[in-house]
Amino acid sequence: MPNDQLHNNFFSEFAATDKKAWEKKIVSDLKVKAFEELNWKSPEGIEVSPVYTRDDLAALSYLDTTPGETPYNRGVKTKSNNWLIHQRFMAENMDETNQNIRTAIRSGVSEVEIETTSAITDKDVENLLLKINPEKVRLCFNTGNQPQELYSFLMNYFQKSNYDTHKIKGAIEFDPFIEYLYETDPNKKDIKKELQKASSLIQEMNNNLPGFCLLSIHGNILNNAGATIPQELGICLSMGSEFLFSLTETGQTADVISRHIQMILGIGSNYFMEIAKIRAARLLWSTLINTYNKDIPGNEKTFIRSVPSWWNKTKLDPWVNMLRYTTEALSAALGGADSVGQFPFNQLTKKPGNFSERIARNTQIILKKEAYFDKVADPAAGSYYIESLTDSIAEEAWTLFKEIENRGGFIHACKTGYIQEELKKRQSIRKKNIAARKEILVGTNHYSDINEQYPEEEFPSANEEISWLNQRGATEFEDLRKVAESPGGNKPVAVLFPFGDPAVRTARKIFASNFFGCGGFSIKDLTGISSTEEGIKQCKQIKPDVVIFCSSDKEYIEHIPSLAGQIKNATLVVAGNPEKDIIALKKSGIKYFVHLRSNVLETLVMIHKERGISFNSK
């Protein structure tokens, strides 16, 4: 039987349905008044429906394409989904770094990023690239050199070593715009002079080293600052537009400029949104390039590297970072990134070692060699949800891009402080959400390991946030945990005092243990006491810093007035929010009430300060 006939026979057994039918069924089954009640708004400000159908895609004209076709929302890969495995190397000792790079390449790395804190010499380039075939691995440089100087060093080495420079791929990663955001006074930076130098170098590289990108757009830095996905893409687009506008004025053509731009995007834990982000980035970039260059198709592509966001990485319970890196790498791969980077899971507190670097590499190797995510081009195609998210993200990002353009473009918007203020607003909101546990960092502000000691930091100065652009959401909780533990590792003690209704007290005890565990307390659970009198006796023996009563609202007012007066020199807390009895309970000696609406960080800071532990929130 022909396939089309088999298809028709199979589906003829099922009645056709539209989205309205699905919505009606969902409302009936879930017993809600209206389908819209089930919608939720993502941190990106995008309204997300609980169900998507082909009806949601009816208005999207660009979906009728194949991978490798403009507008590249389906990616640029046509035969597979293979991506480069990226690893970054901080080059302090050049010979040692060279050995590490060669080991990494033998272990599966196919894109190398060499980073230094100062300028390197032509001899350093020779030492770094010794016995490394640049025709087999993509080489990227993020150094303190001027781009022209670094290019000269590389060309001298490649030519002296008899490599075919037309087969070599990589990037110099020159990005004057991110530096523009770092400047305390952006009006001092002569951006036009820097771009004029870049223009002449682009032409030279285009002739002699065509596989190398000169310009990089670092969206990951915006991501580290707490930017939403539309903010990251919208601002990246404005940087790209600034490159195109400024460099075309110097005589360069848009197609040549486009070939010399790579985009580096941060990748976070919002799994499906991150898949859609990369697809939206390609769609937006294609749209932008077409406004400058409609006559030469194919140059709307851009190389996209995805690297993990710094924002959600934690010093506490660092093993959780492994899980974060895994989902992030998977999002990047499914989204169609050209290269994917990972960092050692404990990099915030320890120098990268063989184990942590191997785990970072092998995460991606497993995705390729065991899960086969590199075999099928655009594996996310056809998902109503992801296609809808792609369109929503692109629309939001394009709206922001137009707003920046209306304000005179990226440079002018920086000079007036618009971009910085928008990012700082979002950063503040996200910090508050983490403090109140509306945004979860597992192991830090929720589900902490109460037996964990604050980790020893081998090089803490290297990981401190040096500006508002380099931030992590966990910092305040980590700082609180650090000061809560004495130099000897002794933690303040919180006693859970359960009584009354077994179901309610157990639930509130678990909640309180989690709440105070995030603040660095050693938790002592009095479960098993035969009476409240025995609980009082144990409290006198333990001499805790904090006592948390765990019971039902009704039983609090019945028992706490007699219990509270028997506990001396401890901060008394109730797990719950017994609104009718709060005033009476406060008169009995209760100082705090912890519940789902509590600001966790704020409450913990106040309790620690009462116990004589000072804490200065950033």
Side-chain angles (χ1 to χ4, degrees):
M1 183 182 294
N3 284 338
D4 57 347
Q5 186 179 346
L6 181 64
H7 179 276
N8 292 334
N9 289 345
F10 177 77
F11 283 101
S12 65
E13 299 179 26
F14 301 93
T17 58
D18 58 15
K19 187 169 184 178
K20 290 296 181 183
W22 279 106
E23 290 178 2
K24 185 177 179 180
K25 180 63 174 172
I26 290 169
V27 168
S28 173
D29 287 353
L30 297 183
K31 296 178 174 56
V32 293
K33 291 182 180 178
F35 179 78
E36 288 70 25
E37 291 179 24
L38 301 173
N39 291 351
W40 59 280
K41 187 159 276 192
S42 75
E44 291 74 24
I46 294 170
E47 189 162 297
V48 181
S49 170
V51 64
Y52 288 88
T53 71
R54 68 176 60 200
D55 295 349
D56 293 288
L57 309 183
L60 304 183
S61 59
Y62 56 79
L63 292 182
D64 191 21
T65 58
T66 60
E69 289 184 355
T70 185
Y72 301 106
N73 56 294
R74 296 199 60 190
V76 297
K77 307 165 195 172
T78 58
K79 296 181 180 179
S80 71
N81 188 39
N82 193 34
W83 67 90
L84 301 177
I85 297 177
H86 171 92
Q87 186 169 336
R88 184 180 65 179
F89 296 86
M90 287 297 298
E92 297 173 352
N93 180 300
M94 303 304 160
D95 294 333
E96 183 181 326
T97 302
N98 171 262
Q99 290 293 331
N100 292 337
I101 292 172
R102 287 159 60 187
T103 298
I105 293 171
R106 288 194 298 269
S107 302
V109 166
S110 45
E111 180 180 70
V112 168
E113 180 184 7
I114 298 170
E115 187 172 340
T116 64
T117 55
S118 58
I120 59 177
T121 66
D122 55 348
K123 183 63 177 175
D124 290 333
V125 170
E126 289 184 19
N127 292 337
L128 283 167
L129 299 183
L130 180 68
K131 296 183 180 179
I132 295 171
N133 186 345
E135 297 176 15
K136 303 295 184 182
V137 61
R138 191 170 190 265
L139 297 173
C140 305
F141 294 85
N142 189 350
T143 70
N145 298 74
Q146 287 294 317
Q148 178 67 53
E149 180 183 45
L150 181 57
Y151 165 74
S152 298
F153 293 162
L154 291 170
M155 282 298 296
N156 288 340
Y157 176 76
F158 295 150
Q159 290 173 340
K160 185 169 64 174
S161 304
N162 296 317
Y163 289 116
D164 185 345
T165 56
H166 283 69
K167 292 181 179 179
I168 297 173
K169 296 181 179 179
I172 287 179
E173 299 194 356
F174 174 56
D175 183 356
F177 296 136
I178 277 297
E179 293 177 9
Y180 211 87
L181 283 172
Y182 275 111
E183 292 287 339
T184 53
D185 184 2
N187 291 290
K188 289 182 178 179
K189 193 169 185 67
D190 189 352
I191 199 76
K192 288 190 175 181
K193 185 176 180 181
E194 294 197 39
L195 290 175
Q196 284 171 352
K197 291 180 181 177
S199 178
S200 60
L201 184 54
I202 282 176
Q203 194 59 54
E204 193 172 347
M205 289 176 67
N206 198 52
N207 295 331
N208 302 321
L209 198 60
F212 245 67
C213 295
L214 172 63
L215 309 171
S216 289
I217 298 172
H218 284 85
N220 62 309
I221 302 295
L222 306 172
N223 194 302
N224 294 343
T228 64
I229 286 174
Q231 281 182 323
E232 183 181 357
L233 294 187
I235 296 171
C236 281
L237 215 59
S238 72
M239 293 182 193
S241 179
E242 201 74 64
F243 273 136
L244 289 163
F245 176 76
S246 300
L247 292 173
T248 51
E249 281 198 326
T250 67
Q252 293 294 339
T253 60
D255 62 303
V256 171
I257 298 166
S258 178
R259 289 201 298 272
H260 283 273
I261 295 177
Q262 70 172 6
M263 194 178 294
I264 304 172
L265 299 178
I267 202 89
S269 298
N270 198 342
Y271 182 70
F272 290 106
M273 287 282 181
E274 295 292 352
I275 295 172
K277 176 173 79 175
I278 297 171
R279 295 161 63 85
R282 294 198 187 279
L283 173 63
L284 291 165
W285 187 256
S286 175
T287 304
L288 176 64
I289 294 299
N290 273 323
T291 63
Y292 282 89
N293 186 39
K294 295 181 179 179
D295 300 325
I296 307 177
N299 289 313
E300 307 95 333
K301 302 176 184 178
T302 186
F303 186 95
I304 294 180
R305 179 196 304 158
S306 288
V307 295
S309 172
W310 214 235
W311 176 266
N312 65 342
K313 301 307 178 292
T314 59
K315 295 179 181 180
L316 296 166
D317 203 357
W319 308 100
V320 179
N321 289 334
M322 281 192 191
L323 306 178
R324 295 185 180 112
Y325 285 140
T326 301
T327 68
E328 290 164 3
L330 189 50
S331 291
L334 293 177
D338 296 293
S339 76
V340 180
Q342 297 227 277
F343 303 137
F345 69 96
N346 56 357
Q347 187 172 338
L348 285 166
T349 56
K350 297 185 181 299
K351 292 180 180 178
N354 290 335
F355 174 73
S356 59
E357 289 184 336
R358 180 169 173 265
I359 290 294
R361 288 191 298 267
N362 283 1
T363 299
Q364 293 192 61
I365 292 172
I366 287 173
L367 293 180
K368 286 187 173 190
K369 302 302 182 183
E370 295 189 17
Y372 306 114
F373 282 105
D374 63 334
K375 301 302 181 188
V376 179
D378 190 21
S383 165
Y384 302 138
Y385 180 40
I386 292 175
E387 298 288 11
S388 295
L389 289 182
T390 300
D391 185 65
S392 296
I393 289 170
E395 187 175 338
E396 291 287 329
W398 189 257
T399 298
L400 175 60
F401 165 66
K402 290 194 296 184
E403 176 63 28
I404 294 172
E405 292 299 291
N406 289 337
R407 290 173 178 268
F410 177 83
I411 293 175
H412 194 265
C414 279
K415 287 183 176 180
T416 61
Y418 171 73
I419 291 176
Q420 294 93 323
E421 287 307 310
E422 288 300 301
L423 289 171
K424 286 177 181 178
K425 282 180 193 175
R426 176 50 55 180
Q427 184 181 105
S428 176
I429 289 170
R430 293 191 70 180
K431 288 276 189 178
K432 289 176 182 176
N433 286 343
I434 288 171
R437 290 211 295 218
K438 294 178 181 178
E439 183 174 338
I440 303 300
L441 295 174
V442 173
T444 298
N445 74 339
H446 216 336
Y447 310 113
S448 63
D449 180 355
I450 62 175
N451 297 314
E452 180 184 21
Q453 294 290 336
Y454 192 87
E456 293 184 9
E457 298 173 88
E458 292 182 358
F459 57 127
S461 61
N463 293 312
E464 294 301 317
E465 288 79 8
I466 58 173
S467 87
W468 66 272
L469 277 173
N470 289 334
Q471 291 287 318
R472 290 183 302 107
T475 302
E476 284 76 12
F477 274 94
E478 291 169 349
D479 289 349
L480 181 63
R481 285 277 294 273
K482 187 174 183 178
V483 300
E485 297 179 17
S486 68
N490 297 320
K491 299 180 178 182
V493 177
V495 161
L496 305 178
F497 195 127
F499 61 89
D501 185 305
V504 178
R505 77 187 186 198
T506 299
R508 287 183 165 172
K509 181 167 61 68
I510 293 170
F511 175 83
S513 176
N514 190 359
F515 192 105
F516 283 87
C518 293
F521 284 88
S522 175
I523 307 298
K524 305 293 183 183
D525 186 355
L526 300 189
T527 294
I529 56 175
S530 58
S531 64
T532 55
E533 288 77 12
E534 184 183 349
I536 293 295
K537 183 179 179 181
Q538 289 199 28
C539 283
K540 291 178 179 179
Q541 292 173 348
I542 296 170
K543 297 179 181 178
D545 299 278
V546 177
V547 174
I548 307 108
F549 294 109
C550 305
S551 188
S552 65
D553 291 359
K554 179 182 177 182
E555 289 168 301
Y556 282 145
I557 197 62
E558 293 174 0
H559 294 277
I560 284 180
S562 62
L563 296 174
Q566 301 179 63
I567 300 174
K568 307 297 182 183
N569 301 318
T571 300
L572 302 183
V573 179
V574 158
N577 188 28
E579 295 179 340
K580 293 190 299 182
D581 301 315
I582 284 178
I583 294 175
L585 291 170
K586 282 184 175 180
K587 288 180 180 179
S588 298
I590 300 300
K591 195 68 181 284
Y592 297 98
F593 299 82
V594 296
H595 46 85
L596 289 173
R597 293 197 298 274
S598 296
N599 184 305
V600 181
L601 181 65
E602 185 180 277
T603 303
L604 291 171
V605 167
M606 289 190 294
I607 291 173
H608 276 307
K609 284 185 176 179
E610 279 195 9
R611 309 308 302 169
I613 298 173
S614 61
F615 171 75
N616 295 316
S617 178
K618 293 179 181 178

